[in-house]
Amino acid sequence: MSLTPVEVRHLELRRGLFGYRRSSVEKAIDDVADSFEAVWRERAELGERVHVLETEVARHVELETLLRSTLVSAERAAQDMKEQARREADVIVQEASAEGRRLVRDGIAEKEQLLAETHRIRTMLRAALEIVSDGTNEAAEAAEETSPPEIQRLAG
């Protein structure tokens, strides 16, 4: 049975002939001692509980600090990776652009080479045609001279 401080202050003890009755005083003292012992035990348990909770709070604060530093490091690493990827992308774009320009130059050079080759072949064909047509005209004239007049009439 726990007694509150107000109940202890208003405790009424029975009076006897030479003062308070011994049995009621002893009972009141026992009740106060029991109540004080219960409060003392509860206070000790709460002190232990406070110690456990303070230790837990300290551990959580330490974890929070660690998590914050980890988060900052992760953000920094992500930013560095983004920057590295951007630089690599710029290099790839520059290389592709240079390769494209090289391909265009090669294509233009090949086109000019093919045009020159075409011009050379046409010149050779014209020369061959002139030779063939000169030879054909001479052969026709020679055939006209040696062929009978009937063939000339039919051919003519």
Side-chain angles (χ1 to χ4, degrees):
M1 163 178 160
S2 290
L3 295 175
T4 64
V6 174
E7 290 174 336
V8 171
R9 289 187 199 283
H10 292 89
L11 193 62
E12 289 191 28
L13 302 172
R14 293 181 154 207
R15 293 182 184 238
L17 184 58
F18 297 107
Y20 292 107
R21 286 192 177 175
R22 187 178 186 108
S23 64
S24 67
V25 170
E26 286 177 358
K27 183 178 180 315
I29 289 174
D30 285 342
D31 288 344
V32 170
D34 291 343
S35 177
F36 186 73
E37 187 179 352
V39 168
W40 195 264
R41 225 180 280 123
E42 184 179 351
R43 181 182 170 271
E45 289 172 2
L46 289 175
E48 287 179 29
R49 180 78 176 136
V50 165
H51 179 68
V52 167
L53 291 174
E54 284 175 346
T55 304
E56 207 171 310
V57 166
R59 187 173 60 87
H60 285 293
V61 167
E62 186 178 320
L63 283 173
E64 179 185 11
T65 304
L66 181 63
L67 285 173
R68 284 181 193 266
S69 66
T70 303
L71 180 62
V72 168
S73 296
E75 286 174 346
R76 208 174 290 136
Q79 197 66 20
D80 291 347
M81 288 176 70
K82 283 181 187 176
E83 184 63 27
Q84 176 73 19
R86 189 191 58 74
R87 284 192 301 262
E88 288 176 8
D90 288 346
V91 167
I92 289 170
V93 166
Q94 289 173 355
E95 288 174 356
S97 179
E99 180 68 15
R101 286 190 302 270
R102 186 189 64 77
L103 288 173
V104 167
R105 278 193 311 270
D106 291 350
I108 290 171
E110 188 175 344
K111 175 186 165 193
E112 289 174 0
Q113 181 184 358
L114 289 173
L115 286 174
E117 184 69 20
T118 303
H119 181 62
R120 187 182 65 81
I121 291 172
R122 280 187 182 161
T123 305
M124 287 172 47
L125 284 174
R126 282 190 185 124
L129 266 171
E130 284 179 17
I131 291 172
V132 168
S133 64
D134 285 347
T136 307
N137 287 341
E138 289 174 7
E141 289 174 5
E144 283 181 13
E145 291 174 4
T146 59
S147 65
E150 295 126 16
I151 294 179
Q152 286 179 359
R153 210 178 352 146
L154 288 175

